[in-house]
Amino acid sequence: MSVEHHEGVHRHPAPTSFIRKYIFSVDHKVIGIQYILLALAAVLVGMFMSLLMRLNLSWPGTSWPILETLFPTGAPGGVMTPEFYLSLVTMHGTIMVFFVLTTAPQGGFGNYFLPIQIGAEDMAFPVLNMLSFWVTLAGFIVILLAIFVEGNQALGETFAGLGPSFAGGSGTVGPIGGWTGYAPLSALGKIAGPGQGAGMNLWVISIAIFCVGSLLGALNFITTLLNMRTKGMTLMRMPLTCWAWFTTAVLALLSFPVLLGGGILLLLDRIANTSFFIPSGLYVSGLLSGTNPNFPLHTGGSPILWQHLFWFFGHPEVYIAILPGMGATSHILATFARKPVFGYRAMVFAIFAIGLLGFFVWGHHMFISGMSPYSAIAFSVLTLSIGVPSAVKTFNWLGTLWGGRIRFTTAMLFALGFVSLFVAGGITGLILGQSSLDLPMHDTYIVTAHFHLVMGVASIFGMFAALYFWFPKMFGRFMSESIGKIHFWLTFIGVYAIFVPMHIMGIVGMPRRFSSFQEYDFLRSLDPLVMLVTVAAVITIGAQLLFYFNVVWSIFKGKKADDNPWEATTLEWITPSPPPHDNFAGVLPTVYHGPYEYAVPGAPRDYVMQTDLDTEVPSGNGHNGHKH
Amino acid sequence: MGRVLAVIIWIITLLSVLLFVSGKWWFPTAISDHAPALDRQFMITILVVGISFTAAQIGLGWMVWKYRDTGKSGDRAVYTHGSNRLEVLWTVITAFVFIALGVMGQSVWASLRLHDAPAGSYSVSVVAQQFQWNFHYAGRDNKFGRTDPQLIDDSALNFVGLDSSDPSAADDAVTAALAIPVNRPVELRLRAKDVIHNFWVPQLRFKQDLVPGMEIKVHFTANKVGKYELACAELCGQLHFKMKSYMLVLPEEEIQALQVLPQEQFQAKMVELLAKYPLPTN
């Protein structure tokens, strides 16, 4: 394959107008930043919702006057209603999983750095890339509309004329269904209670739009990586970040269509009276299916089908969220330990193994769903085996640190935090992956603790690490290291204080998605832990304001950075900070070495850049390509 | 900085482990025949989890403590790309431990889920609906009366759609709380009228979804007389958190006496029994 051949095809002139440069830009770097800004906006909404949830759980029935002002029907008298709480649960999960954990790691950092790291001028399909962002943004706007349509009485009623599933205004901030939207609750429409009307339609539509955006992005990532690597950039000389983004794109390409299909069927059940997920003979809110215009006849659907479709996507999705963080962590650990990545090949195989096995374990979300108990056994054993490549990655991260000369930048602290949190969150998969142990554990707080630590917080730590690390490249200025370190310590200790006690709550048996625990005697002993988690959450969320301040302040006032401030080896560090429109100012680099040649004996510096022509690097594990 | 991070990681690890071994918060005392085996499997698993977690965090702390950059000029890191021997070693060991755990974990599952309830089990039909549990008992004749969704009428209190023209329905009772015998296998026939619900009694170590359109048969044996809280553990709508009931585990003679009572007296007796038994203290 000839790189030169592609060069001309994809070159597009640098834009001159503001709109083409910053808004409808086809430059992967601008699109990457747009994705990151989208995630930064979405995570604010999601965090604010988690704050409200914690307030409600720790001080049930307490009146918060500000809430009455903000949500007159959702919190009458300032007290949150159960349906208001449940809509917070749903919107928090949906916004965080889709618009934060799936946008910034892949669409954000992947978009910005994959082309540069493989020595390309842009993505393979720049216009498609622009579309994928704007489609994703449209999805975000649609999910935000759910807040207004459900929260505003008058607005909600204007939609009621469209049909029984369109009425809004139930005084919530969106639908009620959790981020998993289990049918038939999500399929029945207004009749199933508050939060099942217009908000749910918008939720399904938003997710369907998001699927389309992700598919466009995935196609682009795969094509770019396979076709546009520069001369000498063999697959096994790629940074591990590129392997992670590539695998993530493959997962997205194979899993999002299933969710898209499922979402369309769900929407049809809601607005066209189909029965994909609604069985016959339902009796809801005093009405039998088929006896009332508000509840038309349904027959022949399967609620479990939705769960299969959802989790066939949903399980790969957790790897879509965390694989880019793994890539960034490997990249950053090597850079600041001043050592080659330990077991590069094993790391590549492990990423692939996780991606592949990730498609065969979705049933562990459904052990007690009523599916065949025999398939539960298969899913359970497969699930435990996915722990093996995860452990291999952890061992290799420790191996990378071993014998290093570690520099504790903020980026490195967050990468180390990623390793710590990934282990802490991932290891409890050994419990939840066993069908027997799922009998007591399913849908309790131990599940909440597990997935928040591993796919939520660990992934976010990967993104923090990535931002502190690449910020100088993206904006030509460092983020403040002193604010960054305070941000790290508060967040690192804070998230442990939030999520470790949640495991204990799960063992005691506290169910998820309860707006109040006051009804149950067996949960009373947990009151002090519930309060501890709330206090920790308030402090941790408060600490994120430091991060937002740091981002904004550093863009304008941060210390200036040169081309290669971290003394790193990969291609993003040979080009100016920030890189020019075509990344390498018209001359594509040629690669001679593996990605992590640190501490090479006899080399003039303790790092050999991938483009360094004159430095001999001993042949070893991890670089087998053409040697100059 | 490296030493501070190491110490903080170790303190977090220590506090986390202490929280788990403090004994202040743990499972409620189990009351089912399958629970000891399940609890044992949980203990083995959490031991593996605890050791792996602690070892990894201690190791991580050790690395950042020992290999911090001391700033000596010309001092370089160890140059290595890894070790195939180590890769094989830790892959094989973790694969063995994890998959062995997974296989061991199937025994309780298999004993509960791979065969039907044994003969002589006490059967109760459970019909869940938004924010309410209905327990349908077969009565003196041990035969459930016919039910039909067309006959459901909440306003007439026919919550399960019992067909009064069916002779075997005459002695059936439907109540809002569950009563089962102690030390006898119990079969629950689980159905839902509207959305998915979940039957969850922490002391039983048992949970199962109730899915509209399906009848799911599950079985277990409770072995301690008493009253236990029963929760819905699958998000079912607005008042999900209030979808609560009780499970009474009764001596055989009490369940026999209850079983033959007609609807009204059955309900009155349930109220009496619910008042008689206190909730467990742990």
Side-chain angles (χ1 to χ4, degrees):
Chain A
M1 154 197 46
S2 150
V3 171
E4 285 78 3
H5 172 73
H6 289 272
E7 208 175 327
V9 177
H10 297 290
R11 180 166 290 165
H12 43 82
T16 45
S17 76
F18 179 82
I19 290 196
R20 294 301 305 220
K21 198 167 173 186
Y22 296 111
I23 311 293
F24 294 108
S25 171
V26 292
D27 181 344
H28 69 101
K29 299 184 287 299
V30 176
I31 296 168
I33 291 172
Q34 287 173 328
Y35 265 112
I36 292 169
L37 292 175
L38 168 63
L40 285 173
V43 79
L44 267 186
V45 181
M47 260 191 333
F48 181 62
M49 287 175 163
S50 58
L51 188 66
L52 293 180
M53 285 189 271
R54 290 314 311 177
L55 296 184
N56 181 59
L57 291 177
S58 274
W59 294 280
T62 305
S63 172
W64 310 84
I66 174 87
L67 285 183
E68 182 162 35
T69 319
L70 289 172
F71 311 103
T73 45
V79 179
M80 289 178 235
T81 59
E83 59 271 29
F84 181 78
Y85 175 86
L86 289 172
S87 67
L88 289 172
V89 171
T90 308
M91 293 289 276
H92 166 82
T94 307
I95 288 175
M96 290 300 206
V97 170
F98 289 97
F99 295 98
V100 179
L101 297 173
T102 315
T103 53
Q106 183 81 355
F109 293 107
N111 235 321
Y112 199 112
F113 287 103
L114 181 127
I116 303 183
Q117 286 190 332
I118 62 170
E121 292 186 320
D122 202 321
M123 281 285 193
F125 310 113
V127 176
L128 203 64
N129 202 16
M130 175 180 79
L131 272 178
S132 79
F133 170 74
W134 287 98
V135 169
T136 306
L137 181 68
F140 185 56
I141 292 167
V142 171
I143 197 86
L144 291 184
L145 284 179
I147 298 178
F148 300 100
V149 172
E150 286 293 358
N152 186 302
Q153 203 78 38
L155 194 60
E157 277 159 15
T158 55
F159 287 90
L162 290 169
S165 72
F166 287 90
S170 37
T172 60
V173 290
I176 293 176
W179 83 283
T180 55
Y182 273 15
L185 180 64
S186 60
L188 288 168
K190 196 75 184 161
I191 192 170
Q196 305 305 333
M200 188 63 85
N201 282 349
L202 292 172
W203 180 84
V204 184
I205 292 167
S206 163
I207 285 175
I209 295 173
F210 187 89
C211 290
V212 174
S214 292
L215 280 173
L216 300 181
L219 278 171
N220 221 344
F221 273 71
I222 294 169
T223 313
T224 305
L225 184 131
L226 290 179
N227 287 331
M228 296 182 62
R229 279 170 289 125
T230 192
K231 197 174 176 190
M233 181 57 83
T234 58
L235 287 174
M236 292 312 252
R237 278 180 179 166
M238 290 196 307
L240 284 171
T241 41
C242 294
W243 278 111
W245 288 320
F246 175 63
T247 312
T248 302
V250 174
L251 294 186
L253 187 73
L254 297 177
S255 67
F256 272 109
V258 178
L259 181 66
L260 177 60
I264 291 170
L265 300 187
L266 182 59
L267 193 64
L268 290 174
D269 271 8
R270 293 180 53 79
I271 65 177
N273 296 339
T274 56
S275 300
F276 294 103
F277 308 121
I278 308 176
S280 54
L282 290 201
Y283 186 92
V284 185
S285 303
L287 293 175
L288 183 70
S289 171
T291 60
N292 186 290
N294 283 331
F295 192 20
L297 184 67
H298 287 285
T299 182
S302 161
I304 290 187
L305 175 62
W306 168 258
Q307 297 181 29
H308 281 295
L309 294 174
F310 183 85
W311 288 117
F312 185 86
F313 146 81
H315 201 78
E317 165 62 28
V318 312
Y319 298 108
I320 289 173
I322 199 160
L323 282 177
M326 291 180 168
T329 295
S330 305
H331 196 73
I332 292 166
L333 288 186
T335 305
F336 293 114
R338 314 306 297 163
K339 264 192 74 195
V341 162
F342 197 89
Y344 176 93
R345 266 167 198 284
M347 289 300 240
V348 173
F349 292 142
I351 292 176
F352 260 47
I354 290 172
L356 185 69
L357 283 171
F359 275 105
F360 301 107
V361 300
W362 80 90
H364 69 221
H365 299 270
M366 299 169 57
F367 287 145
I368 50 93
S369 68
M371 73 170 181
S372 158
Y374 293 95
S375 54
I377 292 176
F379 280 124
S380 178
V381 175
L382 280 162
T383 299
L384 285 242
S385 39
I386 209 167
V388 177
S390 308
V392 167
K393 294 204 75 80
T394 306
F395 283 123
N396 282 302
W397 286 323
L398 294 180
T400 304
L401 296 173
W402 172 83
R405 294 292 178 272
I406 302 173
R407 299 175 182 174
F408 291 96
T409 59
T410 307
M412 184 61 166
L413 289 175
F414 274 105
L416 292 164
F418 175 97
V419 176
S420 175
L421 289 160
F422 175 70
V423 171
I427 195 76
T428 48
L430 293 181
I431 300 173
L432 297 172
Q434 293 181 42
S435 47
S436 306
L437 301 185
D438 199 48
L439 291 168
M441 294 301 155
H442 185 86
D443 259 351
T444 65
Y445 265 72
I446 196 171
V447 179
T448 315
H450 164 75
F451 76 76
H452 272 90
L453 270 183
V454 72
M455 96 177 276
V457 177
S459 301
I460 297 238
F461 266 56
M463 280 183 262
F464 280 143
L467 192 63
Y468 282 102
F469 180 70
W470 279 315
F471 196 91
K473 180 55 59 183
M474 297 163 80
F475 298 102
R477 291 174 187 273
F478 289 95
M479 285 180 77
S480 160
E481 282 283 308
S482 32
I483 300 177
K485 279 173 180 151
I486 301 171
H487 172 223
F488 168 76
W489 293 115
L490 287 174
T491 310
F492 185 62
I493 297 169
V495 292
Y496 269 112
I498 295 169
F499 294 110
V500 170
M502 281 194 188
H503 291 84
I504 298 287
M505 297 178 190
I507 291 174
V508 173
M510 182 176 270
R512 296 164 73 183
R513 296 168 174 170
F514 268 35
S515 50
S516 163
F517 303 118
Q518 304 300 306
E519 303 283 317
Y520 288 87
D521 188 70
F522 78 96
L523 298 173
R524 288 275 56 79
S525 68
L526 290 169
D527 285 349
L529 284 187
V530 172
M531 187 60 79
L532 169 70
V533 168
T534 300
V535 171
V538 171
I539 293 171
T540 312
I541 290 172
Q544 304 318 304
L545 299 178
L546 286 175
F547 168 73
Y548 277 87
F549 171 79
N550 198 354
V551 170
V552 175
W553 184 83
S554 301
I555 287 178
F556 302 103
K557 300 276 179 183
K559 198 174 75 164
K560 283 225 161 79
D562 61 17
D563 291 358
N564 188 5
W566 309 123
E567 302 184 304
T569 51
T570 42
L571 296 185
E572 73 267 35
W573 305 110
I574 63 167
T575 184
S577 307
H581 175 71
D582 66 354
N583 294 343
F584 299 102
V587 188
L588 289 181
T590 304
V591 169
Y592 302 101
H593 305 294
Y596 303 112
E597 292 301 335
Y598 293 97
V600 179
R605 299 175 299 196
D606 90 322
Y607 62 104
V608 177
M609 300 195 72
Q610 289 193 280
T611 49
D612 282 353
L613 185 54
D614 301 326
T615 313
E616 277 295 311
V617 171
S619 184
N621 197 353
H623 48 103
N624 61 345
H626 163 78
K627 208 146 157 270
H628 184 78
Chain B
M1 189 68 75
R3 294 182 189 195
V4 180
L5 181 61
V7 170
I8 292 207
I9 289 175
W10 290 333
I11 291 175
I12 287 173
T13 308
L14 182 71
L15 290 178
S16 303
V17 172
L18 283 179
L19 191 62
F20 277 82
V21 299
S22 71
K24 186 158 167 48
W25 294 282
W26 205 244
F27 288 107
T29 307
I31 59 154
S32 59
D33 278 2
H34 69 269
L38 197 151
D39 286 0
R40 199 176 320 116
Q41 176 66 16
F42 185 86
M43 287 311 293
I44 294 168
T45 307
I46 202 151
L47 207 62
V48 173
V49 166
I51 291 170
S52 313
F53 168 75
T54 308
Q57 306 291 351
I58 288 178
L60 182 63
W62 172 248
M63 297 299 173
V64 298
W65 176 292
K66 181 144 196 301
Y67 298 111
R68 65 193 187 281
D69 186 11
T70 50
K72 265 187 286 178
S73 68
D75 183 30
R76 285 189 186 176
V78 176
Y79 183 71
T80 170
H81 287 94
S83 150
N84 286 340
R85 189 190 297 251
L86 279 175
E87 300 292 346
V88 171
L89 185 74
W90 57 48
T91 305
V92 169
I93 290 177
T94 49
F96 177 77
V97 173
F98 290 2
I99 294 171
L101 260 185
V103 172
M104 279 165 65
Q106 301 311 318
S107 65
V108 179
W109 180 262
S111 73
L112 276 176
R113 295 295 170 104
L114 298 190
H115 57 84
D116 292 337
S121 297
Y122 183 80
S123 284
V124 182
S125 174
V126 185
V127 180
Q129 68 185 79
Q130 276 184 323
F131 326 127
Q132 176 181 327
W133 293 94
N134 305 293
F135 299 97
H136 176 189
Y137 303 84
R140 190 188 292 269
D141 64 356
N142 270 327
K143 272 162 83 177
F144 288 103
R146 199 180 79 86
T147 58
D148 184 341
Q150 304 283 342
L151 300 172
I152 295 176
D153 188 349
D154 285 1
S155 53
L157 303 183
N158 188 359
F159 296 111
V160 301
L162 194 61
D163 180 0
S164 53
S165 65
D166 178 14
S168 55
D171 61 350
D172 288 13
V174 178
T175 68
L178 173 63
I180 56 166
V182 70
N183 292 328
R184 174 140 75 103
V186 172
E187 180 192 60
L188 299 182
R189 305 172 179 190
L190 305 170
R191 287 182 290 143
K193 282 158 69 171
D194 38 33
V195 301
I196 300 176
H197 302 275
N198 185 295
F199 176 92
W200 165 225
V201 179
Q203 288 85 354
L204 273 182
R205 307 284 190 274
F206 189 88
K207 206 179 265 135
Q208 175 60 48
D209 275 359
L210 298 89
V211 183
M214 291 173 78
E215 184 182 71
I216 299 169
K217 292 184 180 177
V218 292
H219 59 92
F220 55 82
T221 305
N223 55 24
K224 191 157 177 272
V225 169
K227 178 173 78 173
Y228 306 96
E229 286 172 310
L230 192 169
C232 174
E234 188 65 65
L235 177 57
C236 61
Q238 181 191 26
L239 299 180
H240 168 54
F241 74 110
K242 275 192 173 170
M243 185 166 162
K244 177 188 177 179
S245 182
Y246 292 97
M247 181 180 80
L248 283 169
V249 181
L250 300 174
E252 190 68 37
E253 57 277 13
E254 265 181 340
I255 204 87
Q256 293 294 350
L258 186 68
Q259 172 86 355
V260 297
L261 295 176
Q263 173 76 34
E264 269 105 70
Q265 286 165 286
F266 193 112
Q267 265 178 331
K269 185 71 185 169
M270 281 296 277
V271 173
E272 195 183 300
L273 290 166
L274 285 167
K276 174 181 167 186
Y277 290 101
L279 285 170
T281 47
N282 67 340

